[in-house]
Amino acid sequence: MLTLYTNTATPNGMKVILLLEELGAEYKTVAIDFSKDEQFSEAFLTISPNNKIPALEDEQADGSRVTLFESGAIMLYLAEKTGRFLNLDLKKRAETLVWLFWQNASLGPMLGQAHHFAVFAPERVDYALERYTKEAQRLYRVLERRLQESAWLGGDEISIADFAAYPWTHPSRHAAQGIALKNFPRVEAWLARIEARERIQAAYKKYPPKAPLEAKHRHG
Ligand SMILES: N[C@@H](CCC(=O)N[C@@H](CS)C(=O)NCC(=O)O)C(=O)O
């Protein structure tokens, strides 16, 4: 049995939900309530020592448990466990992993900062707004260029790299990121292709994004 520890519709939690839904996996979720500091509880820290969601517990047939934190590692584990959404051909696998790691190391953290300074910062911080809005735009240009080369991030098949990037680039987040989608036509088409998938729609019905995510502060 798979147990996902998560927190409403945060992008890092949604990445794993999208994959689980696409896999048709049986799983349960346990909500970690940040307003009660549950991410710092001793029980949660044994599963997720970095005190962040998502975390996954996979109970094995012999009663032992595999526990994982870091969304990228969780997605890789699920793809390898099920043999889906990660092509095992060495070159294709490498191409997918490059974009999965790019999402975890660059796209997610930088868009997270852009979002934070636009939506949550108690006061306007011009330097941070400019830095992270520019970085968000640079990352969308990287995405646009990649999607000129291939239909999906990992190549010619949809993969865990696409499910990892989608919640961060979900239309509900563009306003806060300072992104005008019309400037990124390939990204727009890629988003629409993912959005059209029934299981993606089902996942967002279960966990609706906290829209509208209007920017309180804007760059420029
Ligand atoms: N690199 C981590 C980032 C996870 C992350 O930032 N999770 C946030 C929610 S989106 C969190 O749990 N925050 C709680 C806290 O920082 O106390 C991953 O990809 O899993």
Side-chain angles (χ1 to χ4, degrees), residues 11-33:
N12 285 318
M14 276 314 279
K15 291 185 217 176
V16 182
I17 300 253
L18 296 188
L19 178 58
L20 288 165
E21 291 288 328
E22 283 278 348
L23 289 170
E26 232 182 87
Y27 67 99
K28 64 175 184 183
T29 55
V30 172
I32 298 298
D33 187 342

Side-chain angles (χ1 to χ4, degrees), residues 3 26 29 32 35 46 60 83 97 122 144 149-150 160 168-169 203:
T3 305
E26 232 182 87
T29 55
I32 298 298
S35 71
T46 60
Q60 311 291 295
L97 292 186
E144 180 73 13
E149 294 168 355
S150 66
I160 48 176
W168 282 101
T169 51

Side-chain angles (χ1 to χ4, degrees), residues 9-216:
T10 59
N12 285 318
M14 276 314 279
K15 291 185 217 176
V16 182
I17 300 253
L18 296 188
L19 178 58
L20 288 165
E21 291 288 328
E22 283 278 348
L23 289 170
E26 232 182 87
Y27 67 99
K28 64 175 184 183
T29 55
V30 172
I32 298 298
D33 187 342
F34 297 156
S35 71
K36 296 186 184 147
D37 273 354
E38 285 179 357
Q39 72 272 36
F40 298 107
S41 75
E42 276 309 316
F44 185 61
L45 289 176
T46 60
I47 300 166
S48 185
N50 195 34
N51 64 263
K52 296 203 186 274
I53 63 93
L56 185 78
E57 205 170 61
D58 184 9
E59 196 176 328
Q60 311 291 295
D62 65 2
S64 65
R65 297 175 321 158
V66 175
T67 62
L68 298 111
F69 65 103
E70 281 297 326
S71 56
I74 294 171
M75 296 181 87
L76 189 51
Y77 174 81
L78 289 172
E80 287 180 336
K81 180 182 162 101
T82 59
R84 297 194 55 207
F85 300 118
L86 177 63
N87 196 310
L88 291 185
D89 167 83
L90 189 62
K91 264 173 76 179
K92 291 185 175 175
R93 183 177 190 275
E95 216 177 332
T96 299
L97 292 186
V98 164
W99 289 97
L100 178 71
F101 280 61
W102 172 78
Q103 189 291 310
N104 279 265
S106 290
L107 187 75
M110 293 298 112
L111 294 184
Q113 294 301 322
H115 189 91
H116 177 85
F117 284 102
V119 176
F120 296 122
E123 56 196 45
R124 185 184 173 87
V125 186
D126 284 335
Y127 176 78
L129 275 175
E130 182 181 347
R131 175 178 168 85
Y132 292 115
T133 305
K134 280 191 175 159
E135 182 63 0
Q137 287 162 358
R138 185 190 70 79
L139 287 160
Y140 272 75
R141 286 198 296 277
V142 173
L143 198 51
E144 180 73 13
R145 204 163 41 241
R146 172 58 180 163
L147 294 168
Q148 270 164 16
E149 294 168 355
S150 66
W152 303 104
L153 283 183
D156 51 10
E157 296 163 13
I158 195 164
S159 73
I160 48 176
D162 301 287
F163 300 138
Y166 181 72
W168 282 101
T169 51
H170 188 271
S172 65
R173 302 187 75 85
H174 297 159
Q177 295 166 349
I179 292 297
L181 202 55
K182 64 175 179 5
N183 298 331
F184 304 100
R186 305 277 172 162
V187 177
E188 190 170 20
W190 167 80
L191 288 172
R193 283 201 303 282
I194 299 179
E195 195 184 334
R197 295 172 73 89
E198 260 175 46
R199 292 188 177 194
I200 297 291
Q201 290 170 17
Y204 277 95
K205 260 203 191 111
K206 281 191 198 171
Y207 300 93
K210 286 188 213 149
L213 297 169
E214 288 308 324
K216 187 159 70 179

